[in-house]
mmCIF file of all heavy atoms in Angstrom:
data_model
loop_
_atom_site.group_PDB
_atom_site.id
_atom_site.type_symbol
_atom_site.label_atom_id
_atom_site.label_comp_id
_atom_site.label_asym_id
_atom_site.label_seq_id
_atom_site.Cartn_x
_atom_site.Cartn_y
_atom_site.Cartn_z
ATOM 1 N N HIS Q 10 110.959 15.518 17.539
ATOM 2 C CA HIS Q 10 110.455 16.899 17.430
ATOM 3 C C HIS Q 10 110.574 17.414 15.998
ATOM 4 O O HIS Q 10 111.499 17.040 15.270
ATOM 5 C CB HIS Q 10 111.238 17.810 18.368
ATOM 6 C CG HIS Q 10 111.030 17.477 19.817
ATOM 7 N ND1 HIS Q 10 110.031 18.036 20.579
ATOM 8 C CD2 HIS Q 10 111.670 16.602 20.634
ATOM 9 C CE1 HIS Q 10 110.076 17.540 21.809
ATOM 10 N NE2 HIS Q 10 111.070 16.658 21.867
ATOM 11 N N ASP Q 15 110.733 22.641 18.527
ATOM 12 C CA ASP Q 15 112.156 22.987 18.395
ATOM 13 C C ASP Q 15 112.983 21.901 17.719
ATOM 14 O O ASP Q 15 114.153 21.729 18.026
ATOM 15 C CB ASP Q 15 112.737 23.356 19.768
ATOM 16 C CG ASP Q 15 112.524 22.260 20.787
ATOM 17 O OD1 ASP Q 15 111.989 21.199 20.417
ATOM 18 O OD2 ASP Q 15 112.895 22.446 21.947
ATOM 19 N N HIS Q 40 106.824 19.888 21.648
ATOM 20 C CA HIS Q 40 106.542 20.545 22.922
ATOM 21 C C HIS Q 40 105.263 21.378 22.818
ATOM 22 O O HIS Q 40 105.192 22.322 22.010
ATOM 23 C CB HIS Q 40 107.667 21.510 23.306
ATOM 24 C CG HIS Q 40 108.991 20.862 23.494
ATOM 25 N ND1 HIS Q 40 109.347 20.200 24.639
ATOM 26 C CD2 HIS Q 40 110.054 20.769 22.675
ATOM 27 C CE1 HIS Q 40 110.578 19.742 24.520
ATOM 28 N NE2 HIS Q 40 111.029 20.073 23.333
ATOM 29 N N HIS Q 249 115.991 16.020 17.631
ATOM 30 C CA HIS Q 249 115.701 17.441 17.343
ATOM 31 C C HIS Q 249 116.424 17.906 16.077
ATOM 32 O O HIS Q 249 116.548 19.108 15.854
ATOM 33 C CB HIS Q 249 116.185 18.341 18.486
ATOM 34 C CG HIS Q 249 115.299 18.372 19.709
ATOM 35 N ND1 HIS Q 249 115.201 17.332 20.589
ATOM 36 C CD2 HIS Q 249 114.482 19.337 20.204
ATOM 37 C CE1 HIS Q 249 114.370 17.658 21.574
ATOM 38 N NE2 HIS Q 249 113.916 18.865 21.363
HETATM 39 ZN ZN1 ZN H 302 112.744 20.126 22.420
#
Side-chain angles (χ1 to χ4, degrees):
H10 295 270
D15 55 3
H40 299 280
H249 282 73

